[in-house]
Amino acid sequence: MEHIGNDAASPDESSEWHSIDWKAVMQFVGKAQMRIAQAETEKDFRRVARLTRSLIRSWQARALAVRKVTENQGKRTSGIDCVLLDTPTKKWNAISCLVSRGYRAKPLRRVWIPKPNGKERPLGIPTMKDRAMQALFLLALEPAVECASDPNSYGFRKGRSTHDARSQLFVSLSQKASASWVLDADISGFFDNINHDWLLNHVHMDKVTLRKWLKSGVIDAGQLQRTDEGTPQGGIISPTLANITLNGLETGLMRFLRGKLKAKGVAAGKVNLVRYADDFVVTGSSKELLETVVRPWIVEFLRERGLTLSEEKTRIVHIDQGFDFLGWNFRKYGGKLLIKPNQKNVKAFYGKVKEIIATSVSVPTETLIKRLSPIFKGWAQYHRGTVAKQTFNKIDSLIYWRLMRWGLRRHPRKTSGWVYEHYWKQCGSRKQFAGLQDDPFGGVERIPLPLYRLSDMKIVRHTKVKGDYNPFHPDWVAYGEKLRVQRMGETIWSAQRASLWFDQGGKCALCEQNIDMADENMDDHHIVYRQLGGSDALSNRVLLHPICHRRVHALGLKVIKPVPSTGDFNLAKQSKVVQPDDAV
């Protein structure tokens, strides 16, 4: 059984949060967001405003906002009030507190985090209540912003990723007749310098509330400082505000070039812009075009928003020289575009692995493997759509020698041959660095637990999202489902979890809402608990959202999963939830 803290409240009060029907909540909010997207597409702004007010005032949206800020990575990080919503009772009570009347935003808590270049990046942490308020308004703001976003903007948008940006650059640069010059741009202190007046005039939400967030101030080393510009990087709404700030960079540039160069001139100029958050690149047929036409327009576009290009990091390069973007190096070799992991990313990854191995001399082999394998899989997954096989093999070789040194430090009186025979075990047709684990199928003998090898990752081309895809608009629902299922095969999952996911139709067995396979945001639930003799067999397991998993345990519910009928993956027919009285 799972335990979620100790509440001082009575069991009846603490069970209120777990009694929320999240399926109904998410369906209500999802339908409201679709209506907002439809109205925004039709330019019916009065209806957009009316639907926005209705959604923000709804109980369902407030409950979902509290859930979002208490389920993400920052749920254990408090603001200046040191308050966490870490119990079901606190979460339940927070729902009724999310009202605009009388709301005042508290100052941010300044946290400094190190950057790869040795400098520090300022992070502003709002209180949990302020984060929940931002999440509430974001539910209504995001569908409208999505309708006005640039086609090739891929950062902080639902259904888009760095891999889509990489695929678009491949389309723009891979052909022999493609653009040969690239403007690799970088904005100086992007989040810290956005003009507040510009945001207040262009963000279509309650201006009073937005002003409270922007002007809330920040407490650094016990001192209250004013915030006259910028938006805090720790705020849940900040990525969307950042996208609003740069929306129009691509479409505005293309409109400007059509007026200046005419249609044939734009095509001959081969100008394409790809953006991920505040990082963007612009392609062009000549260096002069990018220097004298494109760059001055971008500088003026940014100036209106209080932003400037970094003179040190912004450069115009030839594609044969190559450039780095989002952890990859784009460069043509003999006229052929190759995308590889860049040296900075490779060194950072290997440095992290090296440190883990060096500080794990005294830990069991199985523990070291469980630390390293997820890191290896995640990094290989990120680069699997590029020309990375040679890089994977090289790092595998370096890691081999690191592990050999690790073994010799553990056994200083043994030879390298002994270390190899002791730690490298026969796994199938080859020997791999491995520990021992219990047989998941109930065998008596322990079986090898091999360390994941980067070179085992297959190179698979990423399925790029369409530029005008809008996940909130009902016209795109069918495409979104098709894209989602198509991408599921690209993620790293164990065969057992993948089988469970497909058997459940990609939905949670409790709330019947989609499980995001890309984030692996799901829990394995055993129908008959292992403590009560349940097995790890697939027939005794279902996939649930983490919050649904906690709800099952908190309310004593039991999920029953009959054998699915052939070809029928309708979850309503496959599983049902039985109340505690019916549970075993």
Side-chain angles (χ1 to χ4, degrees):
M1 297 288 289
E2 293 182 358
H3 301 280
I4 313 175
N6 295 318
D7 290 342
S10 67
D12 291 338
E13 287 180 317
S14 62
S15 65
E16 294 283 0
W17 173 258
H18 295 296
S19 300
I20 297 175
D21 185 353
W22 290 111
K23 177 183 177 181
V25 166
M26 295 176 73
Q27 285 181 343
F28 177 89
V29 174
K31 289 179 180 177
Q33 289 179 321
M34 283 188 174
R35 287 195 290 267
I36 292 174
Q38 278 183 305
E40 184 72 26
T41 303
E42 296 166 3
K43 306 298 181 184
D44 189 350
F45 300 120
R46 287 181 178 271
R47 186 173 173 229
V48 170
R50 185 174 66 253
L51 292 171
T52 297
R53 285 194 302 269
S54 176
L55 178 59
I56 290 173
R57 294 172 181 174
S58 67
W59 183 90
Q60 291 90 336
R62 287 183 284 149
L64 187 57
V66 173
R67 171 181 167 175
K68 283 182 177 292
V69 299
T70 56
E71 294 295 318
N72 59 18
Q73 293 182 348
K75 61 185 178 182
R76 295 186 181 89
T77 304
S78 63
I80 61 167
D81 58 359
C82 300
V83 173
L84 290 176
L85 302 180
D86 52 358
T87 66
T89 301
K90 291 179 180 178
K91 296 174 186 178
W92 176 260
N93 293 334
I95 297 175
S96 60
C97 296
L98 298 185
V99 292
S100 299
R101 180 174 296 179
Y103 167 71
R104 293 186 64 183
K106 292 186 178 180
L108 309 168
R109 180 168 69 89
R110 175 68 79 212
V111 175
W112 296 89
I113 56 176
K115 296 172 66 174
N117 58 8
K119 297 181 180 180
E120 290 184 320
R121 176 184 289 112
L123 203 64
I125 309 296
T127 63
M128 291 295 290
K129 181 180 178 180
D130 291 338
R131 272 179 265 173
M133 283 294 289
Q134 291 183 15
L136 174 61
F137 278 84
L138 183 60
L139 289 174
L141 179 63
E142 202 170 12
V145 174
E146 190 69 29
C147 296
S149 295
D150 290 333
N152 291 310
S153 165
Y154 299 99
F156 306 124
R157 292 178 64 188
K158 190 175 180 180
R160 297 171 185 249
S161 66
T162 55
H163 306 287
D164 293 307
R166 182 195 69 212
S167 299
Q168 180 60 33
L169 275 177
F170 181 84
V171 171
S172 303
L173 295 169
S174 59
Q175 302 298 321
K176 288 185 178 180
S178 297
S180 301
W181 291 89
V182 175
L183 171 62
D184 183 10
D186 184 87
I187 301 175
S188 298
F190 175 64
F191 282 93
D192 299 328
N193 296 309
I194 300 176
N195 185 280
H196 283 181
D197 292 335
W198 191 93
L199 281 176
L200 291 168
N201 291 331
H202 292 83
V203 178
H204 301 303
M205 63 166 285
D206 181 36
K207 309 298 182 185
V208 176
T209 303
L210 179 58
R211 181 181 292 275
K212 289 176 180 178
W213 293 335
L214 297 176
K215 304 294 185 181
S216 62
V218 60
I219 293 182
D220 188 7
Q223 299 293 322
L224 177 62
Q225 302 173 0
R226 297 178 58 180
T227 49
D228 296 323
E229 58 186 7
T231 177
Q233 293 191 48
I236 193 171
I237 203 172
S238 294
T240 301
L241 295 180
N243 272 338
I244 293 173
T245 304
L246 293 181
N247 276 343
L249 181 61
E250 179 188 0
T251 54
L253 176 61
M254 297 306 166
R255 188 164 53 247
F256 165 75
L257 292 176
R258 281 195 295 270
K260 189 175 184 63
L261 305 177
K262 306 303 180 185
K264 293 183 179 179
V266 174
K270 303 173 185 177
V271 178
N272 295 283
L273 188 146
V274 177
R275 176 169 69 87
Y276 187 90
D278 60 322
D279 295 327
F280 63 93
V281 295
V282 187
T283 66
S285 59
S286 68
K287 186 176 182 179
E288 293 73 23
L289 174 64
L290 295 177
E291 275 186 343
T292 61
V293 179
V294 174
R295 180 166 178 165
W297 185 90
I298 292 175
V299 169
E300 181 61 24
F301 176 90
L302 296 177
R303 188 189 63 80
E304 295 176 3
R305 293 152 175 78
L307 304 170
T308 57
L309 288 177
S310 170
E311 296 296 333
E312 298 177 357
K313 298 180 180 179
T314 300
R315 60 192 188 123
I316 298 176
V317 297
H318 195 274
I319 190 60
D320 291 342
Q321 181 183 350
F323 66 97
D324 291 341
F325 186 62
L326 302 177
W328 297 295
N329 178 260
F330 297 75
R331 184 177 176 183
K332 275 191 175 180
Y333 298 83
K336 185 175 182 179
L337 179 68
L338 298 184
I339 306 174
K340 303 178 181 180
N342 67 27
Q343 290 300 313
K344 183 179 178 181
N345 189 276
V346 172
K347 288 181 180 178
F349 168 73
Y350 180 61
K352 181 179 180 180
V353 172
K354 185 167 61 174
E355 182 180 0
I356 291 175
I357 295 175
T359 56
S360 303
V361 176
S362 59
V363 304
T365 309
E366 296 77 18
T367 302
L368 176 61
I369 290 173
K370 290 178 180 178
R371 288 179 185 173
L372 291 177
S373 286
I375 297 174
F376 290 178
K377 289 180 181 179
W379 192 78
Q381 172 72 28
Y382 186 78
H383 295 290
R384 69 180 300 182
T386 65
V387 185
K389 208 66 174 180
Q390 185 177 357
T391 303
F392 289 167
N393 288 329
K394 180 179 179 180
I395 297 181
D396 275 339
S397 178
L398 293 174
I399 291 172
Y400 167 81
W401 289 110
R402 280 288 159 190
L403 292 172
M404 183 63 73
R405 290 183 61 185
W406 174 85
L408 290 172
R409 285 183 64 191
R410 286 169 67 96
H411 308 281
R413 297 184 180 181
K414 301 294 184 181
T415 65
S416 58
W418 183 93
V419 169
Y420 180 82
E421 292 298 328
H422 184 73
Y423 288 105
W424 274 260
K425 297 178 172 55
Q426 192 70 34
C427 301
S429 60
R430 65 184 181 186
K431 281 195 170 184
Q432 288 181 256
F433 184 84
L436 293 175
Q437 64 176 342
D438 294 332
D439 190 344
F441 300 101
V444 178
E445 295 184 359
R446 304 184 76 194
I447 61 174
L449 173 66
L451 177 66
Y452 184 83
R453 292 180 51 161
L454 298 175
S455 55
D456 289 341
M457 175 60 65
K458 295 181 179 179
I459 304 300
V460 178
R461 178 167 292 183
H462 176 72
T463 303
K464 181 188 170 298
V465 68
K466 290 184 179 179
D468 51 352
Y469 169 58
N470 186 340
F472 297 101
H473 200 283
D475 293 347
W476 287 95
V477 170
Y479 171 79
E481 284 298 318
K482 180 180 178 181
L483 180 69
R484 179 172 167 269
V485 172
Q486 195 173 8
R487 287 182 172 179
M488 292 309 164
E490 301 175 6
T491 57
I492 299 175
W493 259 24
S494 67
Q496 290 187 349
R497 293 193 110 192
S499 177
L500 286 173
W501 187 89
F502 281 109
D503 283 348
Q504 295 176 197
K507 299 181 183 295
C508 172
L510 183 65
C511 69
E512 299 183 28
Q513 299 300 302
N514 290 335
I515 293 177
D516 190 351
M517 205 174 193
D519 294 338
E520 299 190 4
N521 189 28
M522 81 271 326
D523 286 352
D524 252 331
H525 172 69
H526 289 70
I527 298 171
V528 179
Y529 302 151
R530 284 173 292 183
Q531 296 91 325
L532 301 179
S535 70
D536 284 324
L538 295 180
S539 59
N540 190 47
R541 290 157 56 193
V542 292
L543 293 180
L544 301 171
H545 289 122
I547 191 169
C548 294
H549 195 193
R550 286 192 286 273
R551 183 185 176 203
V552 167
H553 285 279
L555 299 182
L557 305 178
K558 182 178 177 63
V559 180
I560 297 177
K561 178 185 175 185
V563 178
S565 58
T566 304
D568 184 3
F569 297 125
N570 186 348
L571 198 58
K573 298 179 181 179
Q574 291 184 36
S575 62
K576 65 176 181 178
V577 179
V578 183
Q579 295 302 323
D581 292 340
D582 299 326
V584 177

